[in-house]
Amino acid sequence: RSRGSRAVTAKGLRAATSPRRGRLAPRGSRSQHRGGGRRHPRADWFRQALSKKPKRILESSESPSSDVSQPSSQDDTPRLGLSSTSSPTPQPTHVGASGSGRWSKDYDVCVCHSEEDLAAAQELVSYLEGSAASLRCFLQLRDATPGGAIVSELCQALSSSHCRVLLITPGFLQDPWCKYQMLQALTEAPGAEGRTIPLMSGLTRAAYPAELRFMYFVDGRGPDGGFRQVKEAVMRYLQTIS
């Protein structure tokens, strides 16, 4: 071989076997060199950061729960707790059948009349409802439940009213339903003075029903048809229960 080729071969052999470069060193020697060499400062800082991170999480988890539940400022809306449930808002009281005195019933007056006396009954109801006392009146054709049974509607009207005004006329005496209402009113409250108020119109004293002979009646032959006396009788009874 020539002198030049010998020099290249010798140079390559020295580079391959040189311990300074370590290219031909085995894998085991590489790992030993990295493990046994000097650590990089960034690696140490990263390991310290990892070792401190769990400690911070542990400290935050050990903090008392009362600090978390407190509001951050006075403007924050307080949360609902036991204090809000211990003092509930009182429910409003409704005026009706559950009240007392006058409001224990739905009506103040139930006007019992025949069909042919509907105009006179409406006039009486308008007078009572338009007065200063604003009496609550039950008028059968106006306030009865459509489709309801006549017997049950009549009984319900009597039991839901404080007073009963019997508009006694010739048509009243001929109407079986009016006579039923009269007997029902006397049966429900036989000893309650002032609850049943007879208003007789167009009849003589001799035609006054025998079932009502033990109580006075209002004479409807006066200028106002006896409406003022009926209102005063109802007001007197309402004052006794108020």
Side-chain angles (χ1 to χ4, degrees), residues 185-196 214-215 237:
L186 296 176
T187 302
E188 288 187 1
E193 297 182 0
R195 293 195 64 184
T196 302
F214 62 92
M215 62 177 63
Y237 179 79

Side-chain angles (χ1 to χ4, degrees), residues 108-200:
D108 298 321
V109 184
C110 176
V111 179
C112 304
H113 63 91
S114 63
E115 292 185 4
E116 62 185 57
D117 298 324
L118 177 60
Q122 289 176 338
E123 186 178 356
L124 174 60
V125 168
S126 299
Y127 177 86
L128 297 177
E129 292 180 342
S131 62
S134 299
L135 297 177
R136 302 166 299 164
C137 300
F138 179 88
L139 192 61
Q140 179 179 352
L141 296 180
R142 182 191 67 180
D143 301 319
T145 303
I150 297 178
V151 175
S152 60
E153 289 295 322
L154 295 179
C155 294
Q156 180 66 24
L158 293 175
S159 61
S160 301
S161 304
H162 289 293
C163 299
R164 299 85 180 258
V165 176
L166 305 179
L167 186 55
I168 301 176
T169 61
F172 185 93
L173 299 179
Q174 299 297 326
D175 193 332
W177 291 114
C178 291
K179 190 173 183 179
Y180 174 81
Q181 281 184 301
M182 179 184 65
L183 297 177
Q184 188 69 21
L186 296 176
T187 302
E188 288 187 1
E193 297 182 0
R195 293 195 64 184
T196 302
I197 306 171
L199 175 59
M200 193 168 65

Side-chain angles (χ1 to χ4, degrees), residues 40-60:
H40 197 276
R42 292 187 178 180
D44 296 337
W45 175 84
F46 187 73
R47 289 189 180 90
Q48 292 178 2
L50 291 178
S51 61
K52 292 181 180 179
K53 194 170 184 179
K55 186 177 180 180
R56 293 180 182 176
I57 297 175
L58 181 61
E59 290 176 358
S60 62

